[in-house]
Amino acid sequence: MNQRIVVGLDGSTESIAAARWAAREALLRNAPLHLVHAEEWSSPPGIPAASSDVRRPWTEALLRKAYDGLRGEHPQLDITTESFDGRPADSLVGVAASAGMLVLGSRGLGTLTGFVLGSVGMAVIQAAERPIVVVRAAEDAMPHAHGRHADRDMVVGIDISRPCDALLAFAFDEASRRACTLRALHSWMLPPLTGSGFAYNPEVTAQITQSMNTGLDDMLKPWRDKYPTVHIDAQARVGSASEQLLETGSEAGLIVVGRRIRRSSIGAHIGPITHAVLHHATSPVAVIAHE
């Protein structure tokens, strides 16, 4: 059986959209769907914390409502639920370790602390090494949102200067499942304008672009051979990588970006391009950790 798809719920519109997205993904993969909720219940000094008798019914109602809604939409889907009492980020990283994918809403709008693309969401993305998909509430309003994942293009951002096999493996496998076009994008910047500005000569720029496209094609060739049915639109462009990804992926079914796994606790664990895409993309974003 395929590894289960895990989705974090906090009752917000975003987390419900994430659950519906995750359900469609589970159907694509013939995998079970696991709904989880984690909460660290705390109170200001001097105010007693809510008792388990209060917390448990709220959590059970949250999970039951989501379960019933998804079961009604996808009666064939294997759905389970689980709740955790503890720090949400730690709980999510733990449950994601054995999952095929973790899906989160991009913002929690409820009054309770939940899964948000803030301190919790970013902490999870920095620590988890399984694919993580971030979904906005607006995804439910996109075409085909209520059926199986359909034929909206996918976009993957590639750095041809470094190996990124895990990133490409995920992107090609997902595009194959969706039977959609995969748009592979490598962006590069002209050097600072100094001296005579030779690099800004149109002929030189064209030569560099051709070289970048050749490098991109070389990186993609093994994956084209492995997934011959996936239609690839590969482009190397001059410009900001994050801006190019956001523009190209504005109506994509999924934007796929990578993050380098850092074993050290010092330094950033999410690169600036992935960070910008996570915070500004309107389409779902998959973050793939890789060496």
Side-chain angles (χ1 to χ4, degrees):
M1 179 181 292
N2 289 333
Q3 288 179 304
R4 63 186 180 178
I5 305 298
V6 176
V7 57
L9 287 170
D10 67 358
S12 67
T13 303
E14 286 79 7
S15 76
I16 297 302
R20 298 180 75 179
W21 190 97
R24 299 190 294 272
E25 184 68 20
L27 289 174
L28 269 183
R29 293 169 176 258
N30 191 29
L33 178 66
H34 191 52
L35 311 177
V36 302
H37 173 78
E39 199 75 58
E40 184 174 34
W41 293 76
S42 59
S43 300
I47 299 177
S51 68
S52 60
D53 291 341
V54 173
R55 302 196 305 264
R56 191 177 300 112
W58 186 91
T59 299
E60 290 177 351
L62 168 67
L63 292 172
R64 172 55 61 179
K65 182 178 180 180
Y67 177 95
D68 289 345
L70 293 172
R71 174 66 71 191
E73 293 180 7
H74 309 290
Q76 73 277 39
L77 188 58
D78 178 9
I79 308 175
T80 55
T81 65
E82 187 175 11
S83 63
F84 299 93
D85 188 2
R87 296 181 60 191
D90 292 344
S91 299
L92 280 170
V93 171
V95 75
S98 60
M101 177 186 294
L102 173 64
V103 185
L104 302 175
S106 66
R107 183 175 299 172
L109 299 179
T111 57
L112 300 174
T113 301
F115 304 137
V116 301
L117 189 60
S119 58
V120 173
M122 295 304 289
V124 172
I125 292 171
Q126 291 174 1
E129 296 187 6
R130 304 301 298 162
I132 298 177
V133 176
V134 176
V135 180
R136 298 196 186 280
E139 174 63 14
D140 268 353
M142 293 294 288
H144 316 300
H146 300 289
R148 293 172 68 93
H149 287 309
D151 57 359
R152 280 192 288 158
D153 292 354
M154 281 178 53
V155 177
V156 57
I158 300 173
D159 180 356
I160 65 173
S161 67
R162 298 180 178 182
C164 51
D165 284 351
L167 178 72
L168 291 172
F170 177 91
F172 272 82
D173 178 72
E174 188 73 13
S176 177
R177 293 176 187 275
R178 294 170 178 238
C180 70
T181 295
L182 178 61
R183 305 182 69 181
L185 180 65
H186 170 70
S187 299
W188 58 282
M189 299 291 290
L190 289 168
L193 184 59
T194 58
S196 62
F198 179 74
Y200 287 79
N201 182 301
E203 293 183 2
V204 174
T205 301
Q207 291 175 2
I208 297 174
T209 300
Q210 180 59 46
S211 175
M212 295 293 181
N213 275 304
T214 299
L216 179 59
D217 287 339
D218 289 344
M219 178 172 278
L220 293 175
K221 186 180 185 307
W223 300 97
R224 291 181 188 269
D225 294 342
K226 185 175 181 179
Y227 293 90
T229 62
V230 175
H231 178 257
I232 308 297
D233 177 15
Q235 295 185 30
R237 301 179 183 173
V238 180
S240 161
S242 58
E243 291 178 4
Q244 297 273 10
L245 283 168
L246 290 168
E247 179 183 354
T248 304
S250 61
E251 295 186 0
L254 187 65
I255 301 174
V256 184
V257 292
R259 78 163 185 88
R260 297 283 168 181
I261 297 174
R262 292 178 57 91
R263 306 301 179 188
S264 171
S265 60
I266 302 174
H269 287 245
I270 301 178
I273 296 170
T274 294
H275 191 277
V277 172
L278 279 169
H279 282 282
H280 298 291
T282 55
S283 300
V285 178
V287 181
I288 311 302
H290 60 101
E291 300 291 349

